[in-house]
Amino acid sequence: MEEETQRPEDHVIPQLEITPTGSRQWFPWLVPAILVANVVVFVVTMYVNDCPHNTQPPPSCFPAFLGRFSFQPREDNPLYGPSEDTLLKMGALDENRIVHNHQPWRLITCIWLHSGIVHIFYNMLSLLLFGIRLELEFGYVRIGILYVISGLGGSLLSALFSHAVSVGASGAIMGFLGSALSELITNWRIYANKFAVLLILLFIIAINVVSGLSPHVDNFAHAGGFISGFLLGLVILIRPQYGNGAALGCHTGPVKHKLMYQYVLSVIAAVLLIPGFVVGFVMLFN
């Protein structure tokens, strides 16, 4: 396997703890379930990989005591994981197979695959640190939609502009980051610490931009996930505003309906998001 085809989209997102006070809190079960699903898929992938029987000659899998769960030789996969052939067998993103072999399902299955222990560790850490906060605030339905659509957006952009095998949940996780930024914009009036939240988000974005400069990172998946999450957040992460425009917990008036600027942002985002996906799919399959 060539090194450039193993490209984890790893990044660490610090916990964002500054949120509107008084907002409804949901029990976060979906994000932990996604984490468990990713780990289970990785274990199954390593079982299918069966390095000692599929690496010839001679087997140099490590550590030997793991048996069929042992990792590929470091020269094949420096991230301590399976081979590229196994990842392709399990549904990795590959533009040629998607278009010429009519396998569009790879745009979704690749989100649940990881190329190694290092890759899945950083992605799942980011998922927990950032996804839990969003699910607490907005519930499992909207966060589930956000995760899948952002992951699909990352896969679509990667398939359009990258020609290497790619796997990972980073597109979906970057969608969480993009949605957090758009949620701050559309619900700006109800944050008591607006600029503190904005600075934290900009710092997190800067970290991920810098991490994108490191080797093996699929920046197209990052960008596609972030943009999809940002636009989708403007549509589904809207909160009602208080009558006097004061921060949540400091209001004197009743809750009003959503404000005009929120509707305008939602319409603009939907107009960009839906045709964007349509054009992307047309370009890919053409």
Side-chain angles (χ1 to χ4, degrees):
M1 180 194 310
E2 295 183 1
E3 186 172 308
E4 63 269 21
T5 61
Q6 284 287 319
R7 304 187 309 175
E9 308 128 359
D10 55 298
H11 52 277
V12 179
I13 303 177
Q15 177 69 30
L16 180 61
E17 298 179 346
I18 302 176
T19 58
T21 56
S23 56
R24 178 178 179 179
Q25 297 289 295
W26 303 72
F27 177 75
W29 63 268
L30 180 62
V31 169
I34 291 173
L35 182 147
V36 171
N38 276 275
V39 172
V40 169
V41 170
F42 182 74
V43 172
V44 172
T45 302
M46 292 304 301
Y47 179 86
V48 172
N49 187 63
D50 194 7
C51 180
H53 292 90
N54 294 323
T55 304
Q56 300 293 336
S60 54
C61 311
F62 69 100
F65 67 86
L66 288 179
R68 70 182 298 149
F69 292 97
S70 57
F71 308 128
Q72 289 296 121
R74 290 183 180 87
E75 58 270 20
D76 290 345
N77 187 346
L79 302 170
Y80 308 103
S83 67
E84 182 182 289
D85 288 342
T86 299
L87 290 173
L88 287 170
K89 184 187 300 183
M90 296 294 292
L93 184 69
D94 179 61
E95 179 260 347
N96 183 63
R97 286 173 170 79
I98 290 173
V99 177
H100 300 292
N101 294 352
H102 307 292
Q103 298 176 354
W105 44 267
R106 289 181 179 273
L107 293 166
I108 294 295
T109 55
C110 69
I111 302 171
W112 304 92
L113 295 168
H114 289 84
S115 56
I117 288 291
V118 176
H119 190 192
I120 194 172
F121 173 79
Y122 281 110
N123 270 353
M124 294 304 100
L125 179 62
S126 300
L127 175 69
L128 281 181
L129 292 179
F130 208 75
I132 289 292
R133 176 256 167 181
L134 284 172
E135 190 176 356
L136 277 170
E137 294 297 322
F138 296 101
Y140 65 91
V141 174
R142 283 182 281 185
I143 296 310
I145 294 173
L146 184 63
Y147 187 86
V148 174
I149 297 300
S150 298
L152 180 60
S155 298
L156 182 58
L157 201 66
S158 181
L160 283 170
F161 298 106
S162 174
H163 300 289
V165 174
S166 183
V167 294
S170 288
I173 296 170
M174 286 298 291
F176 284 169
L177 178 56
S179 68
L181 180 59
S182 63
E183 187 267 329
L184 173 62
I185 293 172
T186 193
N187 301 318
W188 181 258
R189 295 175 57 175
I190 66 174
Y191 275 86
N193 301 296
K194 301 175 177 62
F195 292 101
V197 179
L198 179 60
L199 287 175
I200 290 175
L201 281 173
L202 292 178
F203 175 73
I204 295 170
I205 293 171
I207 290 176
N208 285 274
V209 170
V210 172
S211 72
L213 302 177
S214 60
H216 315 300
V217 176
D218 190 344
N219 282 306
F220 291 111
H222 278 196
F226 183 89
I227 295 170
S228 300
F230 180 85
L231 294 175
L232 190 58
L234 292 174
V235 177
I236 67 174
L237 301 186
I238 300 176
R239 302 177 190 268
Q241 308 292 294
Y242 282 90
N244 63 352
L248 209 61
C250 306
H251 64 282
T252 57
V255 176
K256 284 188 174 182
H257 295 294
K258 297 170 185 176
L259 302 181
M260 180 58 65
Y261 82 91
Q262 293 179 306
Y263 285 113
V264 171
L265 289 175
S266 294
V267 171
I268 293 174
V271 168
L272 292 173
L273 184 66
I274 297 173
F277 269 93
V278 172
V279 170
F281 279 112
V282 171
M283 289 176 61
L284 179 63
F285 291 102
N286 255 356

